[in-house]
Amino acid sequence: MEVAIFGAQGIAFGTYQAFHSLYPNRKVHCFLVTQKENNAVILEGIPVLELDKFSKIMSQEEKNKIEVLIATPENIMSDIETILEDHGFYYYVRLTSLRWAQLMGYHYICNKAFMPLSALPVGCHRADIHMFIAKFYKDQPLKSDHVLPNWIVPVQAGSALCKERVAGLLDSDGENISQKNGNYSELTVLYWMWKNCLTENEDREAYYGLSHYRRILELSEDDLLRMEDNEVDVVLPYPMPYEPDIEEHHKRYLAKQDWQALLTALRELRPEYADACTFILRQKYLYNYNIILARKKVLVDYCNWLFPILERVEQVSEPRGWERKDRYIGYLGETLETLYFMYNQNKLEIVHTGLRFLV
């Protein structure tokens, strides 16, 4: 059977790259979307087609010879299945976050681009992990009950901006920038961690991290035994590829003047990173979501680097950061995370794992 991939963003494009690498003899017919909107017209030579138009030129016999891989966020997969069946496509499979992680893991082992944590040998010492999961009072309720490991602790993001409480820990406690959540998104929780959890000299070898209420790093018990003995410094989610480069992704979320503000801040504060930024933006891979798990010292170094840059961006932005609430600082944080860890990839032991999407 030929294959069509439903979706045309990072998850779908990553699926295509991995599928094409692992199964070069299987033809990918097209990417399918409900509407073109901001999607590309073509990705690596494969057309991006609207489902409605594609369906009209296909006979039912032809549709029965196509398997559709649904490569989108999991919370919309059920709706997509209904749409596919309404258009006569009955052979489909959900590429869940677990399946996507497995596909990326095999793919990146083959290409040796982004080392999977699961590829490392299992050690004897279990890593000491403190993972915080950012929650917001407007988060949509999850449809299923999920039992999270006891090392994942909820923290309410933007708690200074509302009276409603959805977590025991608040990013407005202690030294904080909780009131900036409208621009910083989950990064107000990272700031709270930096100032209130990462200051003591003890537990230097412990790992601290940030995730979201819907997305957490996929870590097995064996993975926790891999980290310490293999001297892992940082665990990041598999990066998502964008065509032709990650600037295409940025254009969907950020204005040109905000990029200029970022480059200005980098040139003033970290000129060596400003020089590298052009190269980083011209490659395909982006670390989405501001999700990270790192040794305490590494995370402190990263936060010491990150937040002064973001503060300077607020000052030189037009309009200024305190005059708006459009999450642009959070989006810039994704780019800066990509820049920092790609710049330092030869200095740090960086490994990757999948993201578990909670529904």
Side-chain angles (χ1 to χ4, degrees):
M1 296 181 75
E2 289 189 1
V3 172
I5 298 174
F6 197 100
Q9 296 301 315
I11 297 174
F13 188 47
T15 299
Y16 167 76
Q17 285 197 321
F19 190 86
H20 181 66
S21 172
L22 295 169
Y23 308 105
N25 294 326
R26 291 202 65 184
K27 181 181 178 181
V28 176
H29 191 284
C30 63
F31 294 91
L32 290 173
V33 294
T34 51
Q35 293 180 328
K36 279 293 185 65
E37 294 183 336
N38 293 325
N39 291 306
V41 175
I42 193 167
L43 293 172
E44 277 199 7
I46 307 299
V48 178
L49 306 176
E50 289 188 359
L51 176 62
D52 190 52
K53 293 179 180 179
F54 181 61
S55 175
K56 290 178 180 178
I57 63 173
M58 300 282 287
S59 67
Q60 189 59 53
E61 183 179 0
E62 290 172 320
K63 293 176 183 179
N64 291 341
K65 294 179 181 179
I66 292 181
E67 180 181 22
V68 181
L69 302 182
I70 304 175
T72 66
E74 287 177 70
N75 57 323
I76 62 174
M77 285 183 173
S78 178
D79 293 338
I80 291 170
E81 289 174 342
T82 300
I83 293 171
L84 286 171
E85 291 186 3
D86 288 345
H87 285 79
F89 293 92
Y90 300 104
Y91 298 95
Y92 53 77
V93 61
R94 294 187 183 191
L95 205 66
T96 64
S97 53
L98 177 58
R99 287 173 174 168
W100 194 84
Q102 292 170 337
L103 189 61
M104 293 302 105
Y106 290 129
H107 172 57
Y108 287 136
I109 286 175
C110 294
N111 291 329
K112 299 181 181 178
F114 299 97
M115 174 61 70
L117 174 58
S118 59
L120 300 179
V122 176
C124 300
H125 301 93
R126 187 181 186 278
D128 179 16
I129 293 183
H130 306 269
M131 194 82 179
F132 295 96
I133 183 168
K135 300 186 70 175
F136 189 61
Y137 81 103
K138 289 186 178 180
D139 288 340
Q140 294 296 316
L142 299 176
K143 297 178 182 179
S144 303
D145 292 329
H146 298 276
V147 179
L148 299 179
N150 57 12
W151 42 265
I152 297 181
V153 180
V155 180
Q156 183 168 342
S159 53
L161 303 175
C162 69
K163 295 181 179 180
E164 188 175 342
R165 294 293 173 249
V166 295
L169 295 177
L170 309 176
D171 73 346
S172 57
D173 291 337
E175 189 172 350
N176 70 86
I177 55 169
S178 179
Q179 74 281 1
K180 294 184 178 184
N181 182 261
N183 275 330
Y184 277 70
S185 297
E186 62 278 344
L187 291 178
T188 60
V189 175
L190 184 61
Y191 186 97
W192 172 84
M193 291 166 52
W194 174 41
K195 292 297 186 181
N196 300 285
C197 304
L198 305 177
T199 55
E200 301 85 2
N201 290 324
E202 58 192 38
D203 298 330
R204 289 186 177 182
E205 295 304 310
Y207 293 83
Y208 284 79
L210 174 67
S211 59
H212 300 192
Y213 92 108
R214 275 199 186 276
R215 296 179 176 92
I216 61 174
L217 287 174
E218 188 70 48
L219 294 169
S220 67
E221 283 299 313
D222 280 349
D223 289 334
L224 302 187
L225 292 169
R226 290 181 168 103
M227 294 171 60
E228 190 66 42
D229 288 353
N230 290 287
E231 299 182 343
V232 170
D233 291 312
V234 186
V235 182
L236 294 171
Y238 290 119
M240 289 188 184
Y242 294 90
E243 176 73 12
D245 52 44
I246 61 176
E247 280 198 275
E248 281 300 308
H249 173 70
H250 297 145
K251 290 174 184 177
R252 302 184 69 210
Y253 298 102
L254 290 159
K256 185 176 181 179
Q257 58 266 31
D258 293 330
W259 284 113
Q260 293 305 314
L262 175 61
L263 291 174
T264 297
L266 283 171
R267 291 190 191 106
E268 291 179 1
L269 301 178
R270 297 286 184 169
E272 70 279 19
Y273 285 89
D275 292 339
C277 191
T278 300
F279 169 76
I280 296 297
L281 291 178
R282 288 178 180 168
Q283 55 83 46
K284 292 180 182 292
Y285 297 96
L286 178 75
Y287 289 120
N288 295 71
Y289 311 125
N290 292 310
I291 292 177
I292 183 174
L293 178 63
R295 287 189 188 276
K296 186 176 185 178
K297 181 183 183 305
V298 174
L299 195 58
V300 168
D301 289 345
Y302 173 56
C303 290
N304 285 336
W305 177 89
L306 174 68
F307 285 105
I309 295 171
L310 295 178
E311 183 178 11
R312 184 57 181 152
V313 169
E314 287 185 280
Q315 295 167 354
V316 300
S317 297
E318 290 292 346
R320 309 296 190 201
W322 49 86
E323 297 172 340
R324 55 201 286 193
K325 295 180 181 179
D326 58 3
R327 302 177 66 186
Y328 82 111
I329 293 292
Y331 292 126
L332 289 175
E334 295 178 329
T335 297
L336 289 173
E337 181 178 298
T338 302
L339 173 62
Y340 184 86
F341 288 106
M342 288 193 174
Y343 185 89
N344 292 292
Q345 60 185 331
N346 295 325
K347 299 178 182 178
L348 299 169
E349 188 65 31
I350 302 173
V351 297
H352 301 81
T353 190
L355 286 178
R356 181 182 169 198
F357 193 96
L358 306 179
V359 293

